[in-house]
């Protein structure tokens, strides 16, 4: 509901039938494993204001087709998108790449997933620590 400021770790852990969710404005952090194993989750809206996406937050959400990381996100935990194997794109809105704690954040994300970054930031994202390998993944400016 409105008024929630964080989604705790394991909040929706293994909610297999959860297919979509809109996180309310005011949420600033999404805890580790919050949506882990929600394999039916195909749509999620992360609002501006979220600063942290915890480790393994969306791990195993293989129905997730795309995700937009708002410009307020500064930290992404290891394994955050691990196993999201059917994503068509990951869109970053910040001109400064969020800190990613481990390259496992993208484990088993399909190499056909496009990494979309703001105009003028292509090289910054391609060389950022723990981001998908630009020799394997396609980075595009929008």
């Amino acid at each position: 509901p409105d008024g929630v400021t964080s989604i705790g770790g394991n909040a929706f852990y293994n909610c297999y039938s959860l297919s979509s969710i809109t996180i309310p404005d005011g949420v600033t952090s999404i805890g580790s494993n919050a949506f882990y194993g929600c394999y039916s989750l195909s749509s999620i809206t992360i609002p501006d204001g979220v600063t942290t996406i915890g480790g393994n937050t969306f791990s195993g959400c293989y129905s997730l087709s795309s995700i937009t990381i708002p410009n307020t996100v500064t930290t992404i935990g290891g394994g955050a998108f691990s196993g999201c194997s059917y994503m068509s794109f990951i869109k970053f809105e910040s001109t400064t790449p969020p800190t990613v704690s481990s390259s496992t954040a993208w484990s088993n994300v399909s190499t056909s997933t496009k990494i979309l970054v703001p105009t003028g930031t292509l090289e910054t994202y391609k060389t950022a620590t723990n981001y998908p390998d630009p020799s394997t993944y396609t980075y595009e400016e929008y």
Side-chain angles (χ1 to χ4, degrees):
D2 290 337
V4 169
T5 58
S6 68
I7 297 175
N10 301 313
F12 297 95
Y13 187 93
N14 283 339
C15 287
Y16 309 119
S17 297
L18 182 66
S19 61
S20 70
I21 189 165
T22 299
I23 298 171
D25 291 337
V27 169
T28 58
S29 67
I30 304 171
S32 296
N33 301 310
F35 297 96
Y36 182 97
C38 296
Y39 56 75
S40 296
L41 185 64
S42 61
S43 174
I44 188 161
T45 301
I46 299 175
D48 286 338
V50 170
T51 60
T52 303
I53 297 174
N56 296 311
T57 296
F58 299 102
S59 182
C61 295
Y62 54 79
S63 294
L64 196 59
S65 60
S66 65
I67 194 155
T68 298
I69 310 295
N71 63 5
T72 53
V73 171
T74 58
T75 306
I76 298 173
F81 302 99
S82 176
C84 295
S85 52
Y86 294 105
M87 278 203 287
S88 59
F89 69 84
I90 301 168
K91 181 179 180 182
F92 291 91
E93 293 185 331
S94 178
T95 56
T96 302
T99 299
V100 178
S101 66
S102 169
S103 62
T104 63
W106 324 104
S107 296
N108 298 314
V109 170
S110 172
T111 56
S112 66
T113 301
K114 290 185 181 179
I115 312 300
L116 305 177
V117 300
T119 300
T121 65
L122 191 61
E123 288 308 312
T124 302
Y125 272 90
K126 281 183 170 183
T127 59
T129 302
N130 295 323
Y131 274 73
D133 183 350
S135 67
T136 308
Y137 289 84
T138 301
Y139 281 73
E140 291 182 6
E141 294 180 321
Y142 65 90

